[in-house]
Amino acid sequence: MELRGLGHTDIAVSPIGLGGWQFSRGAGVVGRYWPTISQAGVVEIVRASLDHGINWFETAETYGRGDSERSLAMALEAADADPSDVVVATKWWPLFRGAESIAHTLGQREEYLRPYRVSLYQIHHPYAFSTLRTQMQVLCQLVFERRIAVPGVSNFSACQLRASEEVMQEYGLHLASNQVRYSLLDRRVERRGVLETARKLGISIIAYSPLGQGLLTGKYHGVAAGRVQRAFSSDALSRTRPLIDLLAQVAARYEATPGQVALAWVIRFHGRAVFAVAGARTPEQAKENALAMQLDLTEDELHRLDEVSRMVGLK
Ligand SMILES: NC(=O)c1ccc[n+]([C@@H]2O[C@H](COP(=O)([O-])OP(=O)(O)OC[C@H]3O[C@@H](n4cnc5c(N)ncnc54)[C@H](OP(=O)(O)O)[C@@H]3O)[C@@H](O)[C@H]2O)c1
Protein backbone atom coordinates (compact mmCIF):
# COMPACT_ATOMS: atom_id res chain seq x y z
CA MET A 1 0.00 0.00 0.00
CA GLU A 2 1.26 3.46 -0.97
CA LEU A 3 2.49 5.60 1.93
CA ARG A 4 3.28 9.30 1.61
CA GLY A 5 5.45 11.58 3.69
CA LEU A 6 3.45 14.09 5.73
CA GLY A 7 4.76 17.59 4.98
CA HIS A 8 8.51 17.85 5.55
CA THR A 9 8.44 15.08 8.14
CA ASP A 10 9.62 11.49 7.93
CA ILE A 11 6.18 10.30 9.05
CA ALA A 12 4.81 8.05 6.32
CA VAL A 13 1.03 7.74 6.21
CA SER A 14 -1.57 6.22 3.94
CA PRO A 15 -3.30 8.76 1.65
CA ILE A 16 -6.54 8.17 3.60
CA GLY A 17 -6.81 8.15 7.40
CA LEU A 18 -9.73 7.26 9.67
CA GLY A 19 -11.56 10.15 11.37
CA GLY A 20 -12.57 9.84 15.01
CA TRP A 21 -15.42 12.34 15.34
CA GLN A 22 -17.90 9.46 14.95
CA PHE A 23 -16.45 7.88 18.14
CA SER A 24 -17.59 10.71 20.44
CA ARG A 25 -20.31 8.57 22.10
CA GLY A 26 -22.72 11.47 21.79
CA ALA A 27 -20.90 13.44 24.51
CA GLY A 28 -20.57 17.23 24.49
CA VAL A 29 -21.90 19.74 21.98
CA VAL A 30 -19.60 18.66 19.14
CA GLY A 31 -19.88 14.95 19.94
CA ARG A 32 -23.67 14.98 19.75
CA TYR A 33 -23.57 15.42 15.98
CA TRP A 34 -23.21 11.70 15.25
CA PRO A 35 -25.24 8.82 16.72
CA THR A 36 -23.37 6.76 19.30
CA ILE A 37 -21.39 3.74 18.09
CA SER A 38 -20.78 0.90 20.57
CA GLN A 39 -17.17 0.20 21.58
CA ALA A 40 -17.41 -3.17 19.81
CA GLY A 41 -18.49 -1.27 16.69
CA VAL A 42 -15.52 1.09 16.97
CA VAL A 43 -13.18 -1.91 17.24
CA GLU A 44 -14.60 -3.36 14.03
CA ILE A 45 -14.29 -0.01 12.21
CA VAL A 46 -10.68 0.38 13.32
CA ARG A 47 -9.87 -3.24 12.46
CA ALA A 48 -11.41 -2.90 8.98
CA SER A 49 -9.34 0.24 8.40
CA LEU A 50 -6.09 -1.42 9.52
CA ASP A 51 -6.82 -4.54 7.47
CA HIS A 52 -7.23 -2.46 4.33
CA GLY A 53 -4.12 -0.33 4.53
CA ILE A 54 -4.96 2.65 6.74
CA ASN A 55 -2.15 3.43 9.18
CA TRP A 56 -3.26 6.72 10.74
CA PHE A 57 -6.12 7.77 12.94
CA GLU A 58 -7.37 11.23 13.66
CA THR A 59 -9.26 12.45 16.71
CA ALA A 60 -9.64 15.57 18.86
CA GLU A 61 -10.00 16.73 22.43
CA THR A 62 -13.44 18.12 21.62
CA TYR A 63 -14.85 14.90 20.13
CA GLY A 64 -16.89 13.73 23.10
CA ARG A 65 -14.60 15.62 25.52
CA GLY A 66 -11.91 12.99 25.09
CA ASP A 67 -14.25 10.02 24.66
CA SER A 68 -13.22 9.63 21.03
CA GLU A 69 -9.54 9.52 22.01
CA ARG A 70 -10.19 6.87 24.69
CA SER A 71 -12.40 4.85 22.41
CA LEU A 72 -9.85 5.01 19.57
CA ALA A 73 -6.94 3.91 21.78
CA MET A 74 -8.94 1.00 23.22
CA ALA A 75 -10.00 -0.05 19.73
CA LEU A 76 -6.45 0.10 18.39
CA GLU A 77 -5.31 -2.08 21.29
CA ALA A 78 -8.16 -4.53 20.78
CA ALA A 79 -7.19 -4.74 17.10
CA ASP A 80 -3.57 -5.49 18.13
CA ALA A 81 -2.16 -2.37 16.50
CA ASP A 82 1.47 -2.02 17.50
CA PRO A 83 2.11 1.59 18.63
CA SER A 84 5.12 1.74 16.33
CA ASP A 85 3.01 0.80 13.30
CA VAL A 86 0.30 3.46 13.57
CA VAL A 87 0.23 7.22 13.56
CA VAL A 88 -2.24 8.98 15.85
CA ALA A 89 -3.22 12.60 15.42
CA THR A 90 -5.28 14.68 17.81
CA LYS A 91 -6.18 18.34 18.24
CA TRP A 92 -6.22 20.99 20.94
CA TRP A 93 -9.48 23.00 21.21
CA PRO A 94 -8.66 26.74 21.24
CA LEU A 95 -12.02 28.44 21.92
CA PHE A 96 -11.91 30.74 25.01
CA ARG A 97 -8.44 29.46 25.86
CA GLY A 98 -4.87 30.70 25.83
CA ALA A 99 -1.78 28.92 24.52
CA GLU A 100 -0.76 27.72 28.01
CA SER A 101 -3.60 25.20 27.85
CA ILE A 102 -2.00 23.48 24.81
CA ALA A 103 0.68 22.00 27.05
CA HIS A 104 -1.60 21.73 30.14
CA THR A 105 -4.18 19.61 28.36
CA LEU A 106 -1.67 17.49 26.45
CA GLY A 107 -1.21 15.31 29.57
CA GLN A 108 -4.84 14.29 29.28
CA ARG A 109 -4.44 13.52 25.56
CA GLU A 110 -1.41 11.34 26.37
CA GLU A 111 -3.32 9.56 29.12
CA TYR A 112 -6.40 8.90 26.96
CA LEU A 113 -4.40 7.73 23.95
CA ARG A 114 -1.87 5.58 25.82
CA PRO A 115 -0.07 3.39 24.67
CA TYR A 116 -0.25 5.35 21.41
CA ARG A 117 1.84 8.45 21.09
CA VAL A 118 0.52 11.83 19.96
CA SER A 119 2.34 11.91 16.62
CA LEU A 120 0.60 14.90 15.08
CA TYR A 121 -0.76 17.55 17.46
CA GLN A 122 -2.94 20.16 15.78
CA ILE A 123 -4.48 23.49 16.72
CA HIS A 124 -8.15 22.78 15.90
CA HIS A 125 -8.92 26.28 14.59
CA PRO A 126 -7.33 29.73 14.69
CA TYR A 127 -9.65 31.33 17.31
CA ALA A 128 -7.80 31.29 20.64
CA PHE A 129 -7.16 34.09 23.16
CA SER A 130 -3.40 33.88 22.47
CA THR A 131 -1.62 34.98 19.32
CA LEU A 132 -0.64 32.44 16.69
CA ARG A 133 3.00 33.21 17.52
CA THR A 134 2.55 32.11 21.15
CA GLN A 135 0.64 29.00 20.11
CA MET A 136 3.38 28.02 17.64
CA GLN A 137 6.06 28.59 20.29
CA VAL A 138 4.27 26.18 22.62
CA LEU A 139 4.02 23.56 19.87
CA CYS A 140 7.77 23.94 19.17
CA GLN A 141 8.52 23.48 22.86
CA LEU A 142 6.45 20.27 22.89
CA VAL A 143 8.45 18.94 19.93
CA PHE A 144 11.73 19.78 21.69
CA GLU A 145 10.48 17.98 24.81
CA ARG A 146 9.58 15.01 22.54
CA ARG A 147 6.02 14.98 23.83
CA ILE A 148 4.68 15.25 20.29
CA ALA A 149 6.37 14.20 17.05
CA VAL A 150 5.17 16.97 14.75
CA PRO A 151 2.95 20.07 14.91
CA GLY A 152 -0.02 20.81 12.67
CA VAL A 153 -2.98 23.17 12.36
CA SER A 154 -6.54 23.02 11.16
CA ASN A 155 -8.91 25.49 9.50
CA PHE A 156 -6.09 28.00 8.98
CA SER A 157 -6.26 30.57 6.16
CA ALA A 158 -3.36 31.11 3.73
CA CYS A 159 -2.24 34.12 5.72
CA GLN A 160 -2.44 32.31 9.09
CA LEU A 161 -0.55 29.39 7.60
CA ARG A 162 2.28 31.62 6.35
CA ALA A 163 2.53 33.45 9.69
CA SER A 164 2.56 30.20 11.68
CA GLU A 165 5.14 28.53 9.43
CA GLU A 166 7.35 31.60 9.78
CA VAL A 167 7.44 31.13 13.56
CA MET A 168 8.11 27.40 13.15
CA GLN A 169 11.08 28.14 10.90
CA GLU A 170 12.54 30.54 13.47
CA TYR A 171 12.81 27.46 15.69
CA GLY A 172 14.15 25.23 12.91
CA LEU A 173 10.84 23.36 12.58
CA HIS A 174 7.97 23.12 10.09
CA LEU A 175 4.24 22.68 10.28
CA ALA A 176 3.37 19.21 8.98
CA SER A 177 -0.20 19.85 7.86
CA ASN A 178 -3.27 22.03 7.68
CA GLN A 179 -6.52 20.09 8.08
CA VAL A 180 -9.33 21.77 6.16
CA ARG A 181 -12.75 21.04 4.71
CA TYR A 182 -12.18 19.91 1.13
CA SER A 183 -14.09 17.73 -1.31
CA LEU A 184 -15.81 17.83 -4.68
CA LEU A 185 -18.54 19.77 -2.87
CA ASP A 186 -16.31 22.34 -1.21
CA ARG A 187 -13.43 23.86 -3.15
CA ARG A 188 -12.94 27.00 -1.04
CA VAL A 189 -9.37 26.16 0.00
CA GLU A 190 -8.39 26.24 -3.66
CA ARG A 191 -10.08 29.57 -4.38
CA ARG A 192 -8.72 31.17 -1.22
CA GLY A 193 -5.10 30.19 -1.88
CA VAL A 194 -4.83 27.87 1.14
CA LEU A 195 -3.86 24.88 -0.98
CA GLU A 196 -1.36 26.79 -3.08
CA THR A 197 0.27 28.31 0.01
CA ALA A 198 0.51 24.93 1.69
CA ARG A 199 2.12 23.41 -1.41
CA LYS A 200 4.66 26.20 -1.66
CA LEU A 201 5.58 25.77 1.99
CA GLY A 202 5.72 21.96 1.77
CA ILE A 203 2.83 21.61 4.23
CA SER A 204 0.38 18.77 3.56
CA ILE A 205 -3.33 19.39 3.28
CA ILE A 206 -5.55 16.96 5.18
CA ALA A 207 -9.06 17.09 3.72
CA TYR A 208 -11.83 16.58 6.26
CA SER A 209 -15.43 15.76 5.30
CA PRO A 210 -14.08 14.36 1.99
CA LEU A 211 -17.37 12.55 1.44
CA GLY A 212 -19.35 15.71 2.14
CA GLN A 213 -20.53 13.91 5.30
CA GLY A 214 -22.07 11.15 3.21
CA LEU A 215 -23.65 13.26 0.46
CA LEU A 216 -21.06 12.20 -2.14
CA THR A 217 -21.86 8.53 -1.64
CA GLY A 218 -25.12 9.27 -3.46
CA LYS A 219 -27.18 7.40 -0.87
CA TYR A 220 -29.07 10.51 0.20
CA HIS A 221 -30.12 11.29 -3.35
CA GLY A 222 -32.34 8.25 -3.38
CA VAL A 223 -34.41 8.89 -0.26
CA ALA A 224 -37.54 10.98 0.29
CA ALA A 225 -36.70 14.58 1.23
CA GLY A 226 -38.33 14.29 4.66
CA ARG A 227 -35.98 11.48 5.65
CA VAL A 228 -32.78 13.22 4.70
CA GLN A 229 -30.45 13.60 7.66
CA ARG A 230 -28.17 16.46 8.62
CA ALA A 231 -27.98 19.63 6.54
CA PHE A 232 -28.74 18.15 3.15
CA SER A 233 -31.45 20.45 1.79
CA SER A 234 -33.50 19.32 -1.19
CA ASP A 235 -31.83 22.18 -3.08
CA ALA A 236 -28.36 20.78 -2.31
CA LEU A 237 -29.53 17.34 -3.38
CA SER A 238 -30.93 18.49 -6.72
CA ARG A 239 -27.96 20.74 -7.50
CA THR A 240 -25.48 17.97 -6.84
CA ARG A 241 -27.34 15.37 -8.89
CA PRO A 242 -25.12 15.80 -12.03
CA LEU A 243 -22.03 15.27 -9.89
CA ILE A 244 -23.49 12.16 -8.25
CA ASP A 245 -24.43 10.82 -11.69
CA LEU A 246 -20.87 11.33 -12.93
CA LEU A 247 -19.41 9.70 -9.80
CA ALA A 248 -21.69 6.71 -10.40
CA GLN A 249 -20.67 6.51 -14.09
CA VAL A 250 -16.96 6.54 -13.25
CA ALA A 251 -17.49 4.10 -10.37
CA ALA A 252 -19.19 1.61 -12.71
CA ARG A 253 -15.99 1.41 -14.83
CA TYR A 254 -14.04 0.13 -11.81
CA GLU A 255 -16.75 -1.83 -10.00
CA ALA A 256 -16.38 0.82 -7.32
CA THR A 257 -18.85 3.12 -5.54
CA PRO A 258 -19.47 6.86 -6.02
CA GLY A 259 -18.02 7.49 -2.56
CA GLN A 260 -14.80 5.71 -3.45
CA VAL A 261 -14.45 7.80 -6.60
CA ALA A 262 -15.03 10.97 -4.55
CA LEU A 263 -12.28 9.94 -2.12
CA ALA A 264 -9.90 8.90 -4.89
CA TRP A 265 -10.38 12.32 -6.50
CA VAL A 266 -9.46 14.12 -3.25
CA ILE A 267 -6.21 12.19 -2.78
CA ARG A 268 -5.16 12.24 -6.45
CA PHE A 269 -6.25 15.50 -8.08
CA HIS A 270 -3.35 17.47 -6.58
CA GLY A 271 -0.71 14.75 -6.85
CA ARG A 272 0.51 13.83 -3.37
CA ALA A 273 -0.30 17.16 -1.72
CA VAL A 274 -3.68 16.21 -0.26
CA PHE A 275 -4.52 13.48 2.24
CA ALA A 276 -8.08 12.67 3.26
CA VAL A 277 -9.48 11.85 6.67
CA ALA A 278 -12.79 10.04 6.26
CA GLY A 279 -15.29 9.18 8.98
CA ALA A 280 -17.12 5.85 9.08
CA ARG A 281 -20.05 4.61 11.13
CA THR A 282 -19.75 0.92 10.18
CA PRO A 283 -16.87 -1.48 9.36
CA GLU A 284 -18.31 -1.86 5.84
CA GLN A 285 -18.02 1.88 5.28
CA ALA A 286 -14.48 1.88 6.70
CA LYS A 287 -13.43 -0.95 4.37
CA GLU A 288 -14.99 0.71 1.35
CA ASN A 289 -13.27 4.01 2.13
CA ALA A 290 -9.87 2.36 2.64
CA LEU A 291 -10.18 0.50 -0.67
CA ALA A 292 -10.61 3.86 -2.42
CA MET A 293 -6.82 4.20 -2.04
CA GLN A 294 -6.44 1.52 -4.72
CA LEU A 295 -8.55 3.40 -7.26
CA ASP A 296 -6.32 4.99 -9.85
CA LEU A 297 -8.47 7.43 -11.81
CA THR A 298 -7.30 8.61 -15.23
CA GLU A 299 -6.33 12.26 -15.85
CA ASP A 300 -9.49 12.59 -17.95
CA GLU A 301 -11.70 11.34 -15.13
CA LEU A 302 -10.00 13.60 -12.58
CA HIS A 303 -10.54 16.64 -14.79
CA ARG A 304 -14.12 15.83 -15.73
CA LEU A 305 -14.97 15.48 -12.03
CA ASP A 306 -13.23 18.79 -11.39
CA GLU A 307 -15.31 20.47 -14.10
CA VAL A 308 -18.65 19.13 -12.95
CA SER A 309 -17.82 19.89 -9.32
CA ARG A 310 -17.19 23.55 -10.29
CA MET A 311 -20.44 23.68 -12.27
CA VAL A 312 -22.41 22.34 -9.31
CA GLY A 313 -20.66 25.00 -7.24
CA LEU A 314 -22.03 24.28 -3.77
CA LYS A 315 -19.14 26.04 -1.96
N1 LIG B 1 -10.65 19.75 11.75
C1 LIG B 1 -11.94 19.94 11.75
O1 LIG B 1 -12.45 21.04 12.05
C2 LIG B 1 -12.84 18.80 11.35
C3 LIG B 1 -14.18 19.03 11.03
C4 LIG B 1 -14.96 17.94 10.63
C5 LIG B 1 -14.41 16.66 10.58
N2 LIG B 1 -13.10 16.46 10.93
C6 LIG B 1 -12.48 15.11 10.89
O2 LIG B 1 -12.70 14.54 9.61
C7 LIG B 1 -13.32 13.27 9.73
C8 LIG B 1 -14.21 13.04 8.51
O3 LIG B 1 -15.12 14.13 8.30
P1 LIG B 1 -16.71 13.97 8.49
O4 LIG B 1 -16.99 12.86 9.41
O5 LIG B 1 -17.22 15.34 8.80
O6 LIG B 1 -17.25 13.67 7.01
P2 LIG B 1 -17.05 12.50 5.93
O7 LIG B 1 -15.86 11.69 6.21
O8 LIG B 1 -17.18 13.20 4.63
O9 LIG B 1 -18.40 11.64 6.13
C9 LIG B 1 -18.51 10.68 7.12
C10 LIG B 1 -19.92 10.09 7.12
O10 LIG B 1 -20.31 9.70 5.81
C11 LIG B 1 -21.02 8.44 5.88
N3 LIG B 1 -20.15 7.45 5.20
C12 LIG B 1 -18.80 7.28 5.38
N4 LIG B 1 -18.34 6.31 4.59
C13 LIG B 1 -19.37 5.85 3.89
C14 LIG B 1 -19.52 4.85 2.90
N5 LIG B 1 -18.48 4.14 2.47
N6 LIG B 1 -20.77 4.63 2.38
C15 LIG B 1 -21.81 5.35 2.79
N7 LIG B 1 -21.75 6.31 3.73
C16 LIG B 1 -20.54 6.58 4.27
C17 LIG B 1 -21.19 8.12 7.35
O11 LIG B 1 -22.38 8.74 7.86
P3 LIG B 1 -23.86 8.13 7.65
O12 LIG B 1 -23.71 6.64 7.63
O13 LIG B 1 -24.62 8.68 8.79
O14 LIG B 1 -24.32 8.69 6.33
C18 LIG B 1 -20.01 8.85 7.98
O15 LIG B 1 -20.24 9.15 9.32
C19 LIG B 1 -14.07 13.31 11.08
O16 LIG B 1 -14.26 12.03 11.62
C20 LIG B 1 -13.10 14.14 11.91
O17 LIG B 1 -12.07 13.30 12.40
C21 LIG B 1 -12.31 17.51 11.29
Side-chain angles (χ1 to χ4, degrees):
M1 181 59 65
E2 174 201 1
L3 294 181
R4 300 177 181 172
L6 190 67
H8 293 275
T9 75
D10 55 6
I11 295 182
V13 288
S14 45
I16 296 178
L18 177 70
W21 188 9
Q22 283 72 5
F23 308 155
S24 304
R25 298 177 178 148
V29 179
V30 177
R32 229 172 283 151
Y33 191 81
W34 298 102
T36 298
I37 303 173
S38 70
Q39 186 56 30
V42 176
V43 173
E44 289 316 307
I45 290 169
V46 166
R47 203 191 300 275
S49 302
L50 287 165
D51 286 350
H52 294 90
I54 282 182
N55 78 337
W56 64 284
F57 299 82
E58 210 279 325
T59 177
E61 174 183 16
T62 194
Y63 298 164
R65 302 192 203 99
D67 274 6
S68 163
E69 293 171 319
R70 279 188 286 234
S71 170
L72 173 65
M74 283 193 286
L76 283 167
E77 273 203 292
D80 290 325
D82 188 305
S84 60
D85 291 341
V86 292
V87 170
V88 171
T90 191
K91 315 186 213 57
W92 170 70
W93 183 248
L95 207 61
F96 306 120
R97 280 167 151 184
E100 68 289 345
S101 107
I102 301 175
H104 273 159
T105 54
L106 178 59
Q108 202 176 46
R109 315 277 70 73
E110 291 166 328
E111 184 196 325
Y112 291 174
L113 288 167
R114 198 165 288 133
Y116 301 93
R117 180 179 188 212
V118 178
S119 295
L120 172 66
Y121 198 31
Q122 307 152 102
I123 307 284
H124 205 136
H125 58 67
Y127 311 112
F129 283 146
S130 304
T131 62
L132 289 182
R133 166 165 286 275
T134 323
Q135 293 172 62
M136 293 307 122
Q137 285 170 331
V138 173
L139 285 180
C140 289
Q141 188 58 36
L142 294 173
V143 174
F144 296 139
E145 289 169 4
R146 297 185 183 280
R147 290 185 66 192
I148 62 170
V150 293
V153 294
S154 177
N155 299 304
F156 273 38
S157 68
C159 178
Q160 289 159 340
L161 202 55
R162 268 192 300 271
S164 305
E165 174 66 7
E166 207 175 291
V167 182
M168 285 286 151
Q169 289 186 13
E170 285 174 26
Y171 289 83
L173 298 176
H174 292 285
L175 280 176
S177 54
N178 186 17
Q179 187 181 139
V180 290
R181 186 186 290 268
Y182 181 60
S183 72
L184 283 163
L185 290 179
D186 193 330
R187 313 285 299 268
R188 285 174 295 182
V189 293
E190 289 167 334
R191 292 197 302 274
R192 296 176 182 175
V194 178
L195 205 137
E196 195 190 333
T197 302
R199 284 186 94 154
K200 276 189 188 146
L201 296 171
I203 296 169
S204 292
I205 288 289
I206 298 177
Y208 70 72
S209 307
L211 289 166
Q213 299 200 324
L215 195 74
L216 287 167
T217 65
K219 66 184 179 183
Y220 292 111
H221 287 73
V223 298
R227 291 187 51 237
V228 169
Q229 301 172 24
R230 300 196 279 283
F232 305 150
S233 65
S234 47
D235 176 52
L237 291 173
S238 57
R239 279 175 60 191
T240 51
R241 169 80 58 191
L243 180 58
I244 301 301
D245 289 347
L246 178 60
L247 285 168
Q249 261 174 40
V250 176
R253 285 177 210 151
Y254 298 94
E255 291 185 25
T257 64
Q260 287 177 316
V261 176
L263 286 174
W265 182 87
V266 167
I267 58 170
R268 304 229 178 265
F269 187 58
H270 294 281
R272 296 161 72 90
V274 180
F275 295 79
V277 60
R281 291 203 307 112
T282 65
E284 292 75 23
Q285 290 181 354
K287 176 180 173 186
E288 187 181 311
N289 297 346
L291 289 175
M293 294 191 287
Q294 295 178 15
L295 202 51
D296 207 356
L297 302 176
T298 65
E299 283 301 309
D300 251 24
E301 288 162 345
L302 291 171
H303 285 106
R304 183 72 190 127
L305 285 161
D306 167 46
E307 236 170 60
V308 175
S309 145
R310 286 174 202 276
M311 270 160 41
V312 160
L314 262 199
K315 275 180 183 157

